[in-house]
Amino acid sequence: MLEIIGRAARESLESFGAAGKLTAEAVRSARDVRTWWPNLTLQARQLGVDSLPIGTLIALFTGVVLALLASYSFTGAVPRYLVGTLVQKTVMMELAPVLTGLALAGRVGANIAAELGTMRVTEQIDALETLSYDPVAYLVVPRVIAGVMMFPVVVGVAMFVGLGAGWAASLGLLDLSSTEFLKGARLFFDLFDVRYGLVKAASFGFAVSLLGCVNGLRARGGAQGVGSAATHAVVQSAIMILVLDAFWAVVWLLGRTP
Amino acid sequence: MKTRSNDWLVGLTIVITMGLIVAATLFLQQSELGRKRDTATARFRDVGSLQVGNAVVIRGVSAGRVTQIALAPKGWVVVAMELDRATTLPVDPVVLLQASSLFGEWQAMITSRAAVPVNRDVVAQVEDALDAPTGALPGAVLPDIAQLTTVAGGIAGNVASVAERVRTAFNDTAALELRTSIRNFSVLSGDLARAVRAQSRNLDSLALTARVGLADVAASSAALRRTMQRVDTATSTGALEEILAESRVASRNLRLATERFETLSQALAASEANLRGAIGKADTVLGRIERGEGSIGLLVNDPRLYRNADSLLVELRTLVVDVRRDPKRYFSVRVF
């Protein structure tokens, strides 16, 4: 038992250590623009544009559920236009970034880990090194930049869709007028809400893509190793998203007055 | 070709997403691009829970929103507001900050100074902010529900404290004493009622006397009024001036008579002195006469002299008759 716990701790620390080392290498390799630039839009499309449907779907249902939940909770003296307030604040500041980030952690993190892991176990990365290609500049940097760039895009769309879904649900499923919903949504809206959500999304994109790359490059031993790397990438990305979520809340929300 | 397709798609996605976010933000911030607005500022000592974006209301109608809240020197807070261009401010405008609902929403209400609620603190705030720089409106914060509930909570606590003290103080002994006190109070009430009845009778008598007195006073007042009317009439017709003129003449005559009388008194005093001297001399003469001094004294006191004189007179009368009868016997007139 103790051996299992110790091994898990060591592997976690190794993962974070490897992530730190890879981050430093990626920063160094980012200067080699000619190597990573051609792959950037491809990665941006795979990580961002292709993730829009899942992000939109999550936001759609999240907005509807939030509106219903708020309507269910706000009874008695609580005015119902606060449904709009709850939907706006929750979607923009928390659910859109976190739920979309978790969904993309599964999709993007696993994708990157599996892709790079397969390249590792099939020795394609070794071949790149043999051909004097910098595998970090060629494989890691475009994925990390694409993750940082496109996660906010997907989360932005999710914010828009989630708010619209909550609005539509309030009109269609609740006895709430459009004026009431917008009054609540506008009541406590602040530009900071958008900024906070998008910055969080960018940090999530960085963490998910980096951890996917780390686990993919560390894959060993064939298909099983690739699967294990993908699993590790998803789990670590999900944990990292929650940790970063708490980090930003403490750093940016604590002590802040609206 | 594949790369160009990716570039186009990614670019389009980014642009559309940015557009959506910007549009949604502007929509939620109620930004009205291209619509011109006026600005106004107000200053306060405290802005309560007012936030940027809160509504600005005139007579209950939304007329703009708060755009900036900033600290200013000397303990002021300056609030900037955007107002619809067609908005006309009330006369002598004042900005009042108040909660617009029970859930923390605040608004800035622009109203005229005459419409400020009669609240000592609010009026003091407005007067404090009156000497605002040009263009800045004076402002005040109305007490919100939290302050009211805090005060109400304090009152409730005091009531509870009093109730607790009453409960502690009101035991069996206190109840017995209270019963005794009530009985004493009943007796006292009876005495008081009797005293009140007696005093009521006295008061009736006094009132009657007072009524009679008042009637007399009224009659006197009427007489006085008539007198005053007469005086007023006399004054108004010039009789008083005539009386005064005559009085002045009489006074002058009296003064002259007094002067004459004084002169007469002085002359009388001199005559009296002369008379006293004459009497003294007469007394002296009479004394001498009485003492038989002098011719008259001798004549008075010696009967012989009287008889001699009488016989002398007889002889003289005879002589005169004889002379008349024969003057030549006694007188001889010769020329040469």
Side-chain angles (χ1 to χ4, degrees), chain A residues 41-42 44-45 49 52 77-79 81 92 150 153 156-157 160 163 182-183 185-189 191 194 198 258, chain B residues 2-3 5-7 9-10 13-14 17 20-21 23-30 51-54 101 103-105:
Chain A
T41 51
L42 175 63
R45 175 173 180 174
V49 178
L52 281 176
V78 181
Y81 61 77
M92 287 192 165
M150 295 308 289
V153 172
V157 172
F160 185 81
L163 191 60
L182 289 178
K183 177 184 178 183
R186 287 169 168 168
L187 193 59
F188 296 103
F189 175 75
L191 189 59
V194 179
L198 294 182
Chain B
K2 180 71 173 175
T3 303
S5 172
N6 288 336
D7 292 347
L9 194 58
V10 170
T13 304
I14 291 173
T17 304
L20 284 177
I21 291 173
T25 301
L26 293 176
F27 179 71
L28 290 175
Q29 283 189 320
Q30 303 179 65
Q51 297 176 9
V52 172
N54 283 148
S101 78
F103 301 95
E105 304 160 56

Side-chain angles (χ1 to χ4, degrees), chain A:
Chain A
M1 181 68 179
L2 290 174
E3 187 180 348
I4 296 172
I5 295 174
R7 186 167 61 244
R10 179 176 53 80
E11 287 176 356
S12 299
L13 289 175
E14 281 179 357
S15 297
F16 285 109
K21 184 180 177 183
L22 188 61
T23 303
E25 289 180 11
V27 169
R28 192 167 52 245
S29 301
R31 289 177 297 186
D32 189 6
V33 179
R34 285 186 179 178
T35 303
W36 59 261
W37 178 257
N39 289 327
L40 180 61
T41 51
L42 175 63
Q43 297 302 325
R45 175 173 180 174
Q46 289 179 350
L47 270 60
V49 178
D50 293 348
S51 299
L52 281 176
I54 184 68
T56 303
L57 194 66
I58 290 172
L60 191 68
F61 286 104
T62 301
V64 173
V65 171
L66 263 181
L68 295 175
L69 188 65
S71 173
Y72 168 76
S73 303
F74 293 162
T75 57
V78 181
R80 299 188 65 197
Y81 61 77
L82 288 181
V83 169
T85 305
L86 184 84
V87 170
Q88 178 265 314
K89 285 285 182 191
T90 313
V91 165
M92 287 192 165
M93 298 184 71
E94 188 63 26
L95 290 186
V98 171
L99 289 185
T100 307
L102 289 174
L104 295 191
R107 184 183 179 280
V108 174
N111 180 282
I112 293 173
E115 189 177 355
L116 295 188
T118 302
M119 292 177 72
R120 170 61 75 186
V121 298
T122 55
E123 298 179 348
Q124 293 179 50
I125 294 176
D126 296 334
L128 287 173
E129 289 174 346
T130 305
L131 294 171
S132 299
Y133 270 94
D134 180 4
V136 174
Y138 189 74
L139 300 174
V140 176
V141 173
R143 284 172 172 78
V144 171
I145 292 177
V148 172
M149 190 172 67
M150 295 308 289
F151 261 55
V153 172
V154 180
V155 169
V157 172
M159 287 179 181
F160 185 81
V161 173
L163 191 60
W167 187 1
S170 300
L171 295 180
L173 302 177
L174 307 173
D175 291 333
L176 205 65
S177 69
S178 185
T179 306
E180 285 179 306
F181 182 86
L182 289 178
K183 177 184 178 183
R186 287 169 168 168
L187 193 59
F188 296 103
F189 175 75
D190 193 348
L191 189 59
F192 169 78
D193 302 348
V194 179
R195 202 164 62 235
Y196 179 77
L198 294 182
V199 169
K200 271 203 313 189
S203 68
F204 294 167
F206 176 79
V208 167
S209 56
L210 187 70
L211 288 171
C213 292
V214 168
N215 285 282
L217 292 177
R218 292 176 66 220
R220 295 286 183 273
Q224 188 178 3
V226 173
S228 178
T231 303
H232 283 140
V234 171
V235 172
Q236 290 172 8
S237 297
I239 293 172
M240 202 61 203
I241 284 173
L242 298 177
V243 170
L244 283 172
D245 188 38
F247 169 79
W248 285 118
V250 171
V251 168
W252 222 350
L253 291 183
L254 196 64
R256 177 188 172 87
T257 54

Side-chain angles (χ1 to χ4, degrees), chain B residues 149-210:
Chain B
T149 51
T150 301
V151 174
I155 294 171
N158 294 337
V159 170
S161 174
V162 170
E164 178 61 24
R165 289 177 185 175
V166 168
R167 193 184 64 78
T168 304
F170 198 76
N171 51 20
D172 292 342
T173 306
L176 191 61
E177 290 176 353
L178 184 63
R179 197 177 303 126
T180 306
S181 300
I182 291 172
R183 196 176 299 120
N184 294 338
F185 186 72
S186 173
V187 173
L188 185 65
S189 297
D191 294 343
L192 192 62
R194 281 191 293 278
V196 166
R197 276 197 294 275
Q199 292 301 323
S200 176
R201 283 195 293 274
N202 294 338
L203 208 58
D204 289 343
S205 172
L206 191 62
L208 184 61
T209 306

Side-chain angles (χ1 to χ4, degrees), chain B residues 4-224:
Chain B
R4 287 190 62 186
S5 172
N6 288 336
D7 292 347
W8 185 85
L9 194 58
V10 170
L12 181 67
T13 304
I14 291 173
V15 168
I16 289 176
T17 304
M18 287 179 63
L20 284 177
I21 291 173
V22 170
T25 301
L26 293 176
F27 179 71
L28 290 175
Q29 283 189 320
Q30 303 179 65
S31 299
E32 298 175 31
L33 297 177
R35 182 172 179 178
K36 294 185 177 178
R37 286 171 169 264
D38 291 331
T39 58
T41 57
R43 69 173 188 169
F44 305 83
R45 286 293 182 194
D46 187 352
V47 293
S49 299
L50 188 75
Q51 297 176 9
V52 172
N54 283 148
V56 177
V57 173
I58 298 176
R59 294 194 296 279
V61 179
S62 179
R65 63 190 183 89
V66 176
T67 55
Q68 189 181 17
I69 302 173
L71 293 173
K74 298 181 181 177
W76 292 102
V77 181
V78 175
V79 174
M81 298 167 285
E82 277 188 351
L83 303 174
D84 296 339
R85 178 144 284 191
T87 302
T88 304
L89 294 181
V91 178
D92 197 6
V94 171
V95 182
L96 299 178
L97 304 182
Q98 59 183 3
S100 59
S101 78
L102 296 176
F103 301 95
E105 304 160 56
W106 277 60
Q107 65 182 13
M109 180 176 68
I110 302 178
T111 184
S112 65
R113 193 178 165 200
V116 172
V118 183
N119 179 298
R120 189 174 52 192
D121 291 339
V122 175
V123 172
Q125 289 180 59
V126 171
E127 290 178 351
D128 187 27
L130 271 180
D131 57 343
T134 307
L137 305 176
V141 183
L142 298 182
D144 65 352
I145 191 68
Q147 292 173 293
L148 296 178
T149 51
T150 301
V151 174
I155 294 171
N158 294 337
V159 170
S161 174
V162 170
E164 178 61 24
R165 289 177 185 175
V166 168
R167 193 184 64 78
T168 304
F170 198 76
N171 51 20
D172 292 342
T173 306
L176 191 61
E177 290 176 353
L178 184 63
R179 197 177 303 126
T180 306
S181 300
I182 291 172
R183 196 176 299 120
N184 294 338
F185 186 72
S186 173
V187 173
L188 185 65
S189 297
D191 294 343
L192 192 62
R194 281 191 293 278
V196 166
R197 276 197 294 275
Q199 292 301 323
S200 176
R201 283 195 293 274
N202 294 338
L203 208 58
D204 289 343
S205 172
L206 191 62
L208 184 61
T209 306
R211 198 178 303 121
V212 172
L214 283 174
D216 292 344
V217 169
S220 302
S221 174
L224 182 62

